[in-house]
Amino acid sequence: MTAAGTPVAVITGASSGIGAATARQLAGAGFHVVLTARRKDRVEALAAELTAAGRQATAHALDVTDRPAVDTLAASLVRVDVLVNNAGGAIGADPVATGDPADWREMYETNVIGTLNLTQALLPALTASGDGTVVVLSSTAGLSTYEGGAGYVAAKHGAHVLAETLRLEIVGSPVRVIEIAPGMVKTEEFATTRFRGDTEKAAKVYEGVADPLTADDVADVITWAITRPSHVNIDLLVVRPRAQASNSKVHRAP
């Protein structure tokens, strides 16, 4: 149960990585966090952790590509002040010539259609709050391309354009649209998932990089952007580790 006056933040993909870190930081900042992800056990465990620490949190199993389930979640929420569209991810690193269309479709469905589903379903409540915030977690892949990444790049470009267009369309309403675009972030699952469980390939992504970003680094940026004064909108914030100058230029120690 949300205490009267407590702002509510819905976070997708909250079972691990950036989503879970953002949930912890927003809960610490005084939000009632609504944790959503496909892995019910993970979000329930996180909600229990936060509740035990005196925070406010509830968990909902949710596949962001399942529109009826998204609509059911939206109907169950009395109040929504913040939506963090974090669910997404990459699959494979194949060139355009041999990429699997099924991988491309899955990435687009999760990164773009999932964001669309939650944003459409929760925008009325965010507007009704009188001070709503939509966060789209895109990627530097949504701003420039790199070899072997076209499917993911295309999906993140879609997420970037969704955020940019939404901001144009709802200007004048009491809802901010914030886009956070991280570069190289080392989490426990992103690269491993991309390479279908191949931990050796996943490790090579970060090989020689002294300090890639962590999930907490990105969560800190997200929380900072959300907690700016209402009239301040962080349209687009790109955050990279110092060792990364671009998607294809990374300093690696020998």
Side-chain angles (χ1 to χ4, degrees), residues 96 104-105 107-108 111-112 141-146 149-161 194:
V96 172
W104 283 53
R105 187 172 295 110
M107 285 186 281
Y108 188 85
N111 289 282
V112 183
L143 306 174
S144 61
T145 191
Y146 56 91
Y152 180 61
V153 166
K156 285 303 188 183
H157 269 72
H160 166 66
V161 168
R194 182 170 204 166

Side-chain angles (χ1 to χ4, degrees), residues 114-155:
T115 297
L116 177 67
N117 284 340
L118 267 294
T119 302
Q120 286 184 336
L122 296 180
L123 194 55
L126 288 161
T127 304
S129 76
D131 188 17
T133 300
V134 176
V135 177
V136 175
L137 191 74
S138 62
S139 167
T140 54
L143 306 174
S144 61
T145 191
Y146 56 91
E147 294 167 290
Y152 180 61
V153 166

Side-chain angles (χ1 to χ4, degrees), residues 50-173:
L50 293 172
T51 301
R55 312 302 189 192
Q56 296 184 55
T58 53
H60 294 268
L62 181 71
D63 180 343
V64 296
T65 68
D66 183 346
R67 185 54 185 261
V70 169
D71 289 339
T72 297
L73 170 67
S76 73
L77 300 173
V78 175
R79 172 178 180 170
V80 182
D81 300 87
V82 173
L83 166 62
V84 180
N85 286 298
N86 167 73
I91 304 171
D94 303 307
V96 172
T98 57
D100 187 341
D103 290 344
W104 283 53
R105 187 172 295 110
E106 185 174 344
M107 285 186 281
Y108 188 85
E109 287 285 335
T110 305
N111 289 282
V112 183
I113 303 302
T115 297
L116 177 67
N117 284 340
L118 267 294
T119 302
Q120 286 184 336
L122 296 180
L123 194 55
L126 288 161
T127 304
S129 76
D131 188 17
T133 300
V134 176
V135 177
V136 175
L137 191 74
S138 62
S139 167
T140 54
L143 306 174
S144 61
T145 191
Y146 56 91
E147 294 167 290
Y152 180 61
V153 166
K156 285 303 188 183
H157 269 72
H160 166 66
V161 168
L162 187 157
E164 192 172 67
T165 307
L166 178 64
R167 191 179 302 114
L168 293 172
E169 292 171 345
I170 66 170
V171 66
S173 75

